[in-house]
Amino acid sequence: MTLRLGVMKSIPLRAKHEALGASFTDFGGWEMPVRYSSDLAEHHAVRENAGLFDISHMGEIFVEGKDAGAFLDYALVGAASEISIGRAKYSLICNQAGGIIDDLIVYRLGQNAYLIVTNASNREAVAASLEERSSSFDVVVTDASDEWALLAIQGPSSVGILSKITSAPLSELKYYAISEAMVCGVSCLLARTGYTGEDGFEIYIPVESAAKVFDEIIRAGSDQGLLPTGLACRDTLRLEAGMPLYGHEMNINVNPYQAGFGKVVRLDKPGEFIGKRALIEFSETNPEKVLVGIVGQGRRAARADYEVFVEGSDSAIGVVTSGALSPTLGFPVAMAYLGADFAQIDTPISVDIRGAKTPFTVVKLPFYKRTNKTKRTNSA
């Protein structure tokens, strides 16, 4: 997580988090709860029971109008017009050079209505880019981020907890689907999405009702192991699940093919879209560096910006983007950009950890899947 100095924005429920004992950090220009008790306890709560995250710093941008689908096909790298109503897709917004401005979730709310969810730090850039790209289309782009709070309940107990406060048919809501729902009497948008590698839901709530929903979820989960959870464990959870974080695995100088998201780019969709020519070129050439997963032994974690080497060479072949000692698996895991010649699975490498070259191995992402849970070690 990148800390920034300057004036921070406050999420609507800051007082609630303070009352629960949260400590705070600057994340993307927002003052966010980083932890309430311990990072490990919160991490394991999500893997084993449930955690409740306040991610109201995320941006919500609505796109509506008769050209909405065609416009998003032009503005983004995916095919938004092919998304079924009530479903979602992961996508990217790129510049003309093919660099990633942000990674997004695109929800289709109606025939001509979409919700775009952005990273907090890129909200203004995405909104401005969409507005600029909309000039030739019959659409309205509305940045409504300040009107919505966003809570995420994640973990295997999420369905049981949420079912206490909503009559929505949760078992019928598929992964990457969204619907209108009443949650403890509040009209919300309920999506089966998340950023932890576990089953769970993200709840879009009008700001004025957010405190009520937050309190009711805490109450409903009090007997099922739910904990309020902060950004620190969210980072280790998403890392284990091999999920990228903008500013670490992606930035404006990275293209989708380097980051492993070539399948997200729909070069076959009709017409032009922003960045298409550059992305065609990237698709036809082997990238000089690619994102990989690496694992180590012992307890020494490879952290962001640590250099990566191969045996017998003092020239770095890459750099770590995110890394930690995995609380679930009990050994160090990291993502790194490596030269393509060294990115094959099972390639032995080393990471310079505070002056000591420590052995790691290239592995396939993700490190963790909930369908194949690995019992955590007592030492993690």
Side-chain angles (χ1 to χ4, degrees):
M1 293 180 292
T2 302
L3 303 184
R4 304 188 333 177
L5 298 177
V7 177
M8 290 183 286
K9 302 176 184 177
S10 292
I11 53 178
L13 300 181
R14 190 198 186 286
K16 292 283 184 184
H17 303 303
E18 189 172 14
L20 289 169
S23 56
F24 295 85
T25 190
D26 180 354
F27 184 77
W30 290 80
E31 189 179 25
M32 297 293 295
V34 66
R35 66 182 58 82
Y36 299 80
S37 53
S38 84
D39 299 346
L40 287 178
E42 293 171 25
H43 181 107
H44 293 317
V46 175
R47 288 281 181 252
E48 298 167 5
N49 298 297
L52 180 61
F53 299 88
D54 185 345
I55 49 174
S56 298
H57 62 315
M58 301 290 282
E60 292 85 21
I61 300 172
F62 290 85
V63 176
E64 300 172 285
K66 72 180 186 65
D67 292 342
F71 162 63
L72 289 175
D73 285 353
Y74 170 75
L76 310 179
V77 303
S81 62
E82 297 179 4
I83 302 173
S84 300
I85 295 173
R87 300 306 300 269
K89 281 190 176 180
Y90 179 83
S91 192
L92 305 167
I93 181 169
C94 290
N95 60 17
Q96 287 286 16
I100 301 173
I101 297 173
D102 200 13
D103 64 325
L104 316 161
I105 302 295
V106 182
Y107 296 98
R108 191 169 191 173
L109 304 180
Q111 183 63 34
N112 299 310
Y114 294 79
L115 167 62
I116 313 297
V117 180
T118 75
N119 287 295
S121 60
N122 294 330
R123 165 190 160 186
E124 290 83 1
V126 173
S129 294
L130 290 175
E131 188 64 43
E132 180 182 355
R133 298 174 189 192
S134 70
S135 59
S136 300
F137 296 88
D138 185 1
V139 294
V140 176
V141 176
T142 305
D143 182 353
S145 305
D146 294 336
E147 301 172 17
W148 293 87
L150 178 54
L151 301 177
I153 178 170
Q154 301 281 296
S157 299
S158 297
V159 172
I161 293 169
L162 201 54
S163 65
K164 295 181 180 181
I165 56 175
T166 181
S167 59
L170 300 178
S171 61
E172 297 177 12
L173 190 67
K174 297 179 180 179
Y175 185 55
Y176 261 56
I178 190 170
S179 71
E180 295 181 355
M182 298 297 293
V183 180
C184 57
V186 175
S187 180
C188 303
L189 291 172
L190 181 63
R192 199 161 199 162
T193 46
Y195 191 54
T196 63
E198 295 297 336
D199 189 19
F201 302 86
E202 295 181 323
I203 312 168
Y204 297 84
I205 312 158
V207 165
E208 61 272 14
S209 301
K212 176 181 179 180
V213 176
F214 182 85
D215 288 343
E216 289 298 324
I217 294 174
I218 292 291
R219 187 175 297 113
S222 62
D223 62 347
Q224 295 195 47
L226 177 138
L227 291 180
T229 39
L231 288 183
C233 81
R234 184 171 164 88
D235 196 48
T236 51
L237 291 160
R238 68 92 190 169
L239 173 59
E240 291 180 344
M243 295 178 171
L245 175 63
Y246 196 91
H248 286 244
E249 286 69 49
M250 292 177 290
N251 58 56
I252 199 68
N253 297 313
V254 171
N255 72 68
Y257 296 92
Q258 293 173 310
F261 292 121
K263 292 182 179 179
V264 176
V265 182
R266 286 290 303 276
L267 295 175
D268 63 333
K269 62 182 176 179
E272 288 294 320
F273 64 91
I274 299 294
K276 181 176 182 178
R277 294 183 183 181
L279 291 169
I280 289 174
E281 291 186 15
F282 288 133
S283 74
E284 294 174 345
T285 58
N286 293 324
E288 293 183 1
K289 61 179 182 179
V290 293
L291 186 67
V292 301
I294 61 175
V295 299
Q297 300 177 353
R299 300 181 62 82
R300 301 197 74 189
R303 305 291 183 180
D305 299 325
Y306 286 10
E307 289 186 315
V308 182
F309 298 83
V310 289
E311 186 176 357
S313 175
D314 292 327
S315 298
I317 60 165
V319 64
V320 173
T321 55
S322 300
L325 175 64
S326 166
T328 304
L329 304 174
F331 51 78
V333 301
M335 288 189 279
Y337 275 103
L338 301 186
D341 292 342
F342 307 99
Q344 291 77 21
I345 304 302
D346 295 328
T347 299
I349 58 171
S350 63
V351 178
D352 186 339
I353 301 179
R354 298 182 180 179
K357 290 183 178 179
T358 305
F360 277 73
T361 304
V362 177
V363 299
K364 184 179 179 180
L365 291 169
F367 306 106
Y368 164 88
K369 289 183 179 180
R370 69 174 182 267
T371 54
N372 185 26
K373 283 183 177 287
T374 301
K375 186 176 181 181
R376 65 182 174 93
T377 66
N378 291 331
S379 62

